[in-house]
Amino acid sequence: MKFAVVFLAAIVLCTSAFKLSLLENIKGSTIKAAILGMKFPSIKGEPEIKLITSYLVKNVKINAFDLTAADLTINADEYTLTLANVKLTVFADIEANIKFFGQIFPQKLNAIITTDTESAALGLTYSKATGLFKVSKCEISMSKMDVAFGKAGFFKNLLDRMASEFIGKLLGIGGTHSVLCPMVENLINGFLFKHIKEDYPELVKLMVMG
């Protein structure tokens, strides 16, 4: 039966796009554990926000996630991963220096960032030299993003403003440090392509040849 599926996939792949559903794999225990255990680099800099002179975002960790669709479309040498209704809960430690009446007030806070993404389309390129995929395009439509700070105290309003103007750009979708895009890239190279190679070996040969 699997040979028939692969043979049909090979015919379809040569004539038009071929689609694989990866939802069951992503929501399975192995990949779920990998997502929750991922590590992300710290982010630091000087935001263009009045009164905040510098920041450091560290210990970024995905605490929970969910999605309703994950389809990999293969069309000749073009690969597109489409995700739907992605929900992420991200924890992060934030250090910010706030200048108030000429004095610097260091702030150390915990942040909980929740995002709802209606859809995400990621273009992938494959390197035969390294055997790895790379995300070449990450187009994401976010419907909601919230940030909550623990014990923000006197500077709560200012930090809330920082969240909407700064954290959203960095940790949210569309920023250079977006969590979702590198998360997907890590999964593609660490787990999903391995699944395709194991279950559809003939399909892989068609994907990487040429």
Side-chain angles (χ1 to χ4, degrees):
M1 180 65 180
K2 182 176 287 187
F3 175 78
V5 172
V6 173
F7 181 71
L8 177 61
I11 296 175
V12 173
L13 187 62
C14 292
T15 57
S16 60
F18 178 69
K19 182 183 291 186
L20 290 173
S21 175
L22 301 174
L23 181 62
E24 183 178 343
N25 300 86
I26 291 178
K27 299 184 78 169
S29 59
T30 300
I31 293 182
K32 180 179 179 179
I35 291 175
L36 299 181
M38 282 185 179
K39 297 184 182 298
F40 297 90
S42 299
I43 308 162
K44 62 181 179 179
E46 299 177 359
E48 296 179 359
I49 299 176
K50 187 177 181 181
L51 302 183
I52 298 178
T53 62
S54 64
Y55 64 83
L56 173 64
V57 182
K58 62 182 183 179
N59 299 327
V60 179
K61 183 180 185 297
I62 297 174
N63 182 259
F65 77 96
D66 194 18
L67 71 167
T68 60
D71 297 320
L72 179 65
T73 302
I74 306 166
N75 189 0
D77 60 348
E78 296 180 359
Y79 314 96
T80 303
L81 180 64
T82 304
L83 309 175
N85 300 315
V86 183
K87 300 180 185 296
L88 291 175
T89 301
V90 179
F91 289 179
D93 294 330
I94 298 176
E95 298 178 6
N97 286 327
I98 299 175
K99 190 173 184 179
F100 194 65
F101 286 109
Q103 299 293 317
I104 298 295
F105 295 87
Q107 298 290 302
K108 294 185 177 182
L109 304 161
N110 304 118
I112 301 176
I113 304 159
T114 56
T115 65
D116 286 350
T117 300
E118 293 178 357
S119 63
L122 296 99
L124 308 172
T125 57
Y126 179 77
S127 170
K128 289 186 290 184
T130 63
L132 297 176
F133 277 97
K134 183 177 180 60
V135 174
S136 58
K137 178 182 68 175
C138 190
E139 297 178 349
I140 297 176
S141 174
M142 179 184 289
S143 59
K144 182 181 179 182
M145 177 173 176
D146 293 319
V147 181
F149 291 105
K151 299 180 181 179
F154 180 76
F155 295 106
K156 182 180 186 305
N157 290 337
L158 178 61
L159 292 169
D160 284 344
R161 179 183 165 207
M162 181 182 76
S164 61
E165 294 186 13
F166 156 64
I167 297 179
K169 293 178 182 178
L170 288 178
L171 294 183
I173 308 306
T176 55
H177 298 279
S178 165
V179 168
L180 185 57
C181 297
M183 181 189 84
V184 171
E185 187 167 0
N186 288 340
L187 289 178
I188 284 288
N189 289 319
F191 295 93
L192 299 186
F193 191 57
K194 179 176 180 290
H195 151 69
I196 296 171
K197 286 193 294 185
E198 291 176 351
D199 289 358
Y200 304 96
E202 297 302 318
L203 179 59
V204 172
K205 291 180 182 178
L206 292 173
M207 290 170 60
V208 302
M209 72 180 183

